[in-house]
Amino acid sequence: MEEIVQQYGFLSLVPSVLAIALAIATKRVYLSLLLGIFSGWLIINDFNFFKGFLDTLQAFVDVFKDSGNTRTIMFCALVGALILFIQRSGGVEGFIYFIQGRLEKMEAKSSGRSRVMVQVFAWLTGMLIFVESSISALTVGTLYRPIFDKMGISREKLAYITDSSSSPSSILIPLNAWGAFIMTLLLSNGFEDPLAMMVSVMPYNFYPIFALLLVLVIILSKRDFGPMKKAETRVRETGKLLADGATPMIADELTNEPAKEGITPKAINMVVPIIVMVLFMPLMLAYTGWDMAEAERAGAGFFNKFFFAIGQGSGSTAVLVAVCSSLIVSMLFYKSQGIMGIREMIDLTLKGISGLMPLALLMMFAFAISTLCKEHLHTGQYVADITSSWLSPALLPAIIFVISCFIAFATGTSWGTFGIMLSIGIPMAQTMDAPMAITIAAVLGGGVFGDHCSPISDTTIISSMSSATDHIDHVRTQMPYALIAGGLAFIFYLTLGIIG
């Protein structure tokens, strides 16, 4: 690996930096990712255009060699069918009536309160669904988009709340795959009690804490700024939920599917499928990791094995089984009420899948550039190596945080960042006698920053999709808030590092 890092040097940064810069500047995310991927394969092939072209095509084919990638893309496509199902069943309309009834009572007591409270409800929902960040982002966007639309709140604002309450809450509450994965990494780095270390790290994981709190401050103060303020002003003055020229990440037919005529809208028709999807996530993680738990935790108690199994389970299998189970339960549930027949369900499934093909395509591009940077150019390793020689104990947590932020933002993967930076940061903290818990927290917080706001992060993409907003508009409106939370986290890490 070392030879590869030395071979490409700073050129290993070109694909991700180019893709992100072009996407933000042009708002042409597919073209930007394509050019980023092509530039990477040009570098690998010594700028031979023909070989670079062939390897770029092969890179897209190779995405599907990884069963995890394939399952995730299938999950993204099948989500479209689930969205249509709950709309057609009257579940969305029923949920809107349910929430609006409570908001009207609040409005009667205090003018303008309902607009604030619906945003608080969305924020709380995202935090409560901490079992998996993608499930959280999908659920919040899907549940609250119709309500936000009716109340004149921008789609960008919904995407921000959705994104900011998914990954941050998932890493702060370690009873999920995130926590188990991190504890596995800690175990491999020599910690005999990774759970105790994980608990000691949580108070210092400043970025997700500040990201969550900032959402609440923005909502309660009613003071947006930057691009988000322009988006909210646009909706308030013109009624336009999207900016002119914006391309939502979800087809119009998936956001405007009417409830079937003659049925009574019921919130339960949406709540039941969502609950099934959320519950199946940890259950399938435990199921797919149980064999490993039996082998590694023989003689341990059930809950010890259960949480260990969650960490060893397949996240892509869990999300795919979760959405498929939700679809099957929906079909049976709606059929029992006489809402839909088999033929209509099949038609809706195909329609939903076709509506989310752009998202599935985008996920394929994101996986291709992530694999390119991680396995061929070793972007993250290069960034870590060029900074490891000049760090001091006082600066270690703050600089580790910045490096982790950059790696996660450039590669779009927080878990990959954890794997790289924990194996570097922990030995450095031990050698330099730097505060271990704070250093580990800096790695985790930096990884979440990238997962939170990188244009090529799957959670960012799913937040844009479920909120039906333009992907780059979501990134641009969210970025100032993420930078504030990141800046505060950096100051705290710098201060704690200096005072020891």
Side-chain angles (χ1 to χ4, degrees):
M1 179 183 293
E2 186 66 28
E3 293 180 358
I4 296 177
V5 173
Q6 292 177 354
Q7 177 184 351
Y8 297 114
F10 74 92
L11 290 178
S12 64
L13 301 173
V14 170
S16 54
V17 173
L18 177 64
I20 291 170
L22 285 176
I24 294 175
T26 67
K27 297 180 66 174
R28 304 294 182 184
V29 66
Y30 296 98
L31 179 61
S32 301
L33 283 170
L34 178 61
L35 291 176
I37 295 166
F38 181 57
S39 70
W41 287 107
L42 277 181
I43 292 168
I44 291 172
N45 288 290
D46 296 323
F47 295 92
N48 183 315
F49 275 74
F50 182 66
K51 291 186 66 178
F53 171 72
L54 292 180
D55 283 350
T56 299
L57 292 179
Q58 186 61 40
F60 293 126
V61 175
D62 290 344
V63 166
F64 296 94
K65 287 184 178 180
D66 187 310
S67 58
N69 291 346
T70 305
R71 284 190 289 263
T72 302
I73 292 171
M74 290 175 62
F75 158 75
C76 291
L78 288 170
V79 162
L82 182 61
I83 292 172
L84 281 186
F85 271 41
I86 61 178
Q87 287 181 330
R88 190 67 170 162
S89 69
V92 173
E93 193 173 339
F95 183 76
I96 292 173
Y97 291 156
F98 175 79
I99 295 294
Q100 282 183 334
R102 278 139 187 83
L103 294 177
E104 286 172 0
K105 294 178 181 178
M106 296 178 185
E107 190 72 20
K109 296 179 180 179
S110 176
S111 178
R113 188 180 177 192
S114 62
R115 183 183 172 89
V116 171
M117 289 309 300
V118 73
Q119 296 177 68
V120 173
F121 287 162
W123 175 74
L124 286 172
T125 303
M127 287 199 299
L128 290 173
I129 306 174
F130 57 84
V131 292
E132 212 281 325
S133 56
S134 297
I135 296 290
S136 174
L138 171 66
T139 302
V140 174
T142 302
L143 284 177
Y144 288 93
R145 183 181 65 239
I147 303 173
F148 273 51
D149 288 355
K150 283 184 176 292
M151 302 196 74
I153 304 172
S154 67
R155 296 271 179 86
E156 294 94 329
K157 188 66 169 291
L158 173 60
Y160 164 59
I161 296 172
T162 298
D163 209 349
S164 298
S165 59
S166 56
S167 298
S169 63
S170 293
I171 200 169
L172 287 175
I173 305 173
L175 303 176
N176 54 23
W178 285 67
F181 175 71
I182 294 166
M183 284 187 279
T184 300
L185 292 177
L186 293 176
L187 186 66
S188 67
N189 278 279
F191 291 95
E192 295 182 1
D193 191 349
L195 178 59
M197 175 54 70
M198 184 71 178
V199 172
S200 69
V201 163
M202 289 172 61
Y204 303 109
N205 203 349
F206 296 124
Y207 178 76
I209 293 172
F210 291 150
L212 286 169
L213 291 177
L214 184 60
V215 177
L216 191 60
V217 170
I218 294 296
I219 292 172
L220 296 179
S221 67
K222 305 178 186 178
R223 293 187 180 277
D224 288 292
F225 56 88
M228 188 69 78
K229 183 176 181 179
K230 293 180 180 179
E232 287 291 279
T233 301
R234 179 197 70 230
V235 178
R236 187 167 55 252
E237 295 180 354
T238 69
K240 295 180 179 179
L241 297 170
L242 295 167
D244 293 333
T247 304
M249 281 286 296
I250 187 172
D252 289 339
E253 55 266 26
L254 294 185
T255 61
N256 299 317
E257 181 71 20
K260 192 170 183 178
E261 293 184 5
I263 66 171
T264 302
K266 299 176 183 177
I268 195 172
N269 284 341
M270 181 171 72
V271 173
V272 168
I274 294 297
I275 288 177
V276 170
M277 184 171 62
V278 170
L279 289 180
F280 261 84
M281 182 67 198
L283 291 177
M284 287 308 303
L285 282 171
Y287 176 78
T288 53
W290 193 255
D291 288 342
M292 182 65 71
E294 289 280 14
E296 298 291 333
R297 291 290 191 270
F302 173 79
F303 288 105
N304 185 302
K305 289 183 180 179
F306 181 80
F307 289 116
F308 181 83
I310 285 178
Q312 302 301 316
S314 168
S316 58
T317 299
V319 294
L320 180 59
V321 172
V323 74
C324 288
S325 300
S326 182
L327 277 171
I328 293 171
V329 170
S330 299
M331 290 178 178
L332 297 174
F333 192 45
Y334 302 152
K335 178 67 175 176
S336 67
Q337 298 178 55
I339 295 176
M340 302 179 195
I342 298 298
R343 179 172 296 181
E344 183 178 5
M345 291 177 183
I346 294 174
D347 291 341
L348 281 177
T349 300
L350 296 177
K351 182 180 179 181
I353 291 173
S354 64
L356 280 192
M357 275 298 104
L359 173 65
L361 181 64
L362 184 58
M363 293 297 291
M364 182 183 75
F365 276 58
F367 283 133
I369 196 169
S370 177
T371 301
L372 170 68
C373 293
K374 182 171 60 176
E375 298 183 6
H376 299 280
L377 294 175
H378 301 279
T379 303
Q381 190 66 51
Y382 168 71
V383 174
D385 287 347
I386 62 175
T387 56
S388 61
S389 61
W390 49 268
L391 291 180
S392 68
L395 294 177
L396 182 62
I399 301 302
I400 284 287
F401 173 72
V402 172
I403 296 170
S404 298
C405 285
F406 181 79
I407 292 174
F409 188 83
T411 61
T413 168
S414 55
W415 287 26
T417 301
F418 300 156
I420 293 170
M421 291 304 298
L422 285 177
S423 63
I424 294 172
I426 290 173
M428 289 178 67
Q430 292 170 335
T431 301
M432 302 168 71
D433 198 24
M436 181 61 69
I438 299 175
T439 302
I440 293 173
V443 172
L444 302 183
V448 173
F449 175 90
D451 191 76
H452 183 196
C453 55
S454 173
I456 58 176
S457 163
D458 56 348
T459 309
T460 310
I461 292 170
I462 291 174
S463 296
S464 298
M465 180 274 291
S466 65
S467 303
T469 191
D470 184 282
H471 183 50
I472 301 304
D473 282 347
H474 165 44
V475 174
R476 295 171 76 173
T477 53
Q478 177 172 264
M479 189 63 67
Y481 299 143
L483 290 174
I484 287 177
L488 288 172
F490 174 80
I491 292 172
F492 271 65
Y493 287 126
L494 184 62
T495 302
L496 288 176
I498 292 173
I499 67 176

